[in-house]
Amino acid sequence: RNRGKVIDYLLQKPNSAAAEAVRDLRTSLLLSNIDRPPKVIMSTSSVPGEGKTTQSVALAINLGGLDKRVLLMEGDVRRRSLSKALGLDKADGYLRVLLGDAALSDIVVALPDMGIDVLPSETSKGNAADIFASETFGAMIQDLRQRYDYVIIDTPPVLAVTDARIIGGWADTTIYSVRWDSTSARQVAEGLRILRQVNVTIG
């Protein structure tokens, strides 16, 4: 429930069981396709409160520790959970880039203590689904592929809004978080069904 303390713990105790679990996740992810390891990774869940944002940050830090160029991207332009968790809710966001009002380099925020970059988003007054389905958004993702070794996109839950199923079309694979002994099997099955219905790859 206190995301900040979890992230601090992982940074301060790289040999802990929690950090080892993140390394296991990273290994499984990168071995899911040996010939073409995923570069753009979507993180989502069935419902809010399942830990997907914390998992996104933890994975990004872990990949950054491999001396890789890692970008953590806000995929929730409604609640902006990632931006708020990292204290970037007042920062300019990439919607300005999509509108042609700013360059990516003006918006990306470096977090040297974590070894990663973050691409925050401001709150959108428009239809988020239309933004993520646009060719302009797709072109930005392609640009990020060239700039970074890994791009992790933290998205809203699948059963809440349509954003994840659209963003998943731009991603190479998806990490689907489930809160143990809380989220129902029915909710998980429905969320996975929705993603698979639009051919989203789930690692």
Side-chain angles (χ1 to χ4, degrees), residues 1 3 45-53 79 157 178-179 182-183:
R1 294 183 179 180
R3 186 179 292 117
S45 62
S46 304
V47 294
E50 298 200 73
K52 64 175 181 55
T53 298
R79 297 181 63 190
V178 178
R179 185 176 178 183
S182 176
T183 310

Side-chain angles (χ1 to χ4, degrees), residues 141-155:
I141 296 297
Q142 289 302 112
D143 188 5
L144 293 173
R145 283 182 180 274
Q146 303 303 315
R147 296 170 182 249
Y148 291 91
D149 296 308
Y150 300 104
V151 177
I152 301 173
I153 310 175
D154 184 57
T155 70

Side-chain angles (χ1 to χ4, degrees), residues 73-80 83 91-104 106-108 119-134 136-138 140 144 163 167:
M73 179 178 174
E74 176 71 83
D76 188 344
V77 297
R78 293 177 175 84
R79 297 181 63 190
R80 302 174 65 222
S83 299
D92 288 333
Y94 61 79
L95 296 184
R96 292 187 59 207
V97 178
L98 299 180
L99 291 172
D101 294 335
L104 266 173
D106 298 327
I107 305 300
V108 169
L119 185 58
S121 172
E122 56 272 274
T123 302
S124 171
K125 296 181 180 179
N127 188 316
D130 290 343
I131 293 171
F132 297 134
S134 69
T136 305
F137 182 80
M140 184 178 72
L144 293 173
D163 302 5
I167 293 174

Side-chain angles (χ1 to χ4, degrees), residues 27-46:
T27 300
S28 297
L29 181 70
L30 299 185
L31 291 178
S32 63
N33 190 333
I34 297 177
D35 295 328
R36 296 184 62 185
K39 291 194 67 171
V40 178
I41 303 157
M42 181 174 78
S43 174
T44 193
S45 62
S46 304

